[in-house]
Amino acid sequence: MVGNHLLQHRELSATAIGVATYIQSLPDGAPVGIKALAGRFPEGEVRIASALRELERHGYLERRRERLEGGRVVTRTYSYNKPGSAPGEPPPPPDREPVPDPDPAPEQKPDPAPESEAEAAPEAQPPRPGAADLLAGLRRRDPRLLLAERDVRRLAPSVSAWLERGVDPETVARVLSSGLPEDMRRPASVLAYRLTALLPPHLPLAPPTPAARPSARPDPLQNCDGCDKAFRAPTPGRCRSCPPAAAAAA
């Protein structure tokens, strides 16, 4: 039996009256959460949630957060056929067993796709040998370039980038130590700026060297038929100094 106080309620929306009637028709223990009701009716979760809030305001529903024995927190919904409690008084006993609404599952972010070897972030490479010594030796060129050990470790990878691009250590040290500002207060910051701003590009690849052509083999040595001197020719015969055989016979 559903009372007219609900069916003809002047402040409840049609959706709220319909939801309350449906809840009162359910057996004890039936799920009456937002998702369960939205799966039963064509109204979406937003309208269902608004209807439940209306019923709570007018005393037809009460939802409580309760902790179970295992420590899990659930929302229990208590349905009242006829609200009649005055403000400040405890609500009337529910006419059915409390119906637990399971907590919405926490939003689970999808596991990030495994990065391929090409997309994986490269591991920090140790600085090249000599990079730290180059930085530590700058104070020989200018006493103001006395660096702390932590600054040497921090700047060594940037020096390595110069060395990997084919710049010899002497040139790197000269670029870092020449033309320094007179009022330099933080030498490590000045060096860090120069190592970044003045970093030269990679050397272009050298053009391929053309392959040398194999040299032609010289003609073999022949003995001249006229003077018996040795000369080079592809076939036996006479050298250039001797007349042809026909002229000699004439």
Side-chain angles (χ1 to χ4, degrees), residues 19-99:
V19 169
T21 305
Y22 173 74
I23 291 177
Q24 293 186 13
S25 68
L26 292 175
D28 295 344
V32 290
I34 295 175
K35 292 186 179 296
L37 295 173
R40 168 62 178 80
F41 296 102
E43 287 79 6
E45 294 185 7
V46 175
R47 293 188 62 184
I48 295 294
S50 177
L52 293 177
R53 288 193 296 269
E54 289 183 54
L55 295 174
E56 282 187 284
R57 268 196 318 270
H58 293 280
Y60 287 95
L61 283 183
E62 181 183 6
R63 290 185 288 187
R64 304 177 188 172
R65 302 278 288 179
E66 300 180 2
R67 186 179 299 275
L68 302 179
E69 294 181 358
R72 182 186 174 202
V73 177
V74 298
T75 301
R76 293 188 183 274
T77 301
Y78 296 86
S79 174
Y80 305 108
N81 281 346
K82 184 178 181 180
S85 60
E89 297 180 2
D95 60 347
R96 59 177 73 248
E97 293 295 325
V99 180

Side-chain angles (χ1 to χ4, degrees), residues 154-173:
R154 178 170 60 89
L155 298 175
S158 299
V159 174
S160 298
W162 283 63
L163 300 178
E164 290 171 357
R165 299 191 179 196
V167 185
D168 61 275
E170 175 63 24
T171 302
V172 178

Side-chain angles (χ1 to χ4, degrees), residues 70-164:
R72 182 186 174 202
V73 177
V74 298
T75 301
R76 293 188 183 274
T77 301
Y78 296 86
S79 174
Y80 305 108
N81 281 346
K82 184 178 181 180
S85 60
E89 297 180 2
D95 60 347
R96 59 177 73 248
E97 293 295 325
V99 180
D101 288 343
D103 289 339
E107 182 180 356
Q108 297 181 353
K109 297 182 178 179
D111 296 334
E115 295 180 344
S116 62
E117 294 183 0
E119 297 175 351
E123 297 181 359
Q125 298 294 331
R128 290 172 62 95
D133 294 340
L134 187 152
L135 290 166
L138 291 177
R139 59 185 177 182
R140 296 193 182 100
R141 298 172 177 265
D142 191 324
R144 295 177 298 170
L145 295 178
L146 177 61
L147 301 176
E149 185 175 359
R150 66 174 183 273
D151 293 329
V152 171
R153 290 196 302 266
R154 178 170 60 89
L155 298 175
S158 299
V159 174
S160 298
W162 283 63
L163 300 178
E164 290 171 357

Side-chain angles (χ1 to χ4, degrees), residues 222-231 237-243:
Q222 310 287 349
N223 287 333
C224 178
D225 293 339
C227 62
D228 202 27
K229 291 181 180 181
F231 72 100
R238 291 174 175 266
C239 66
R240 295 181 179 179
S241 301
C242 292

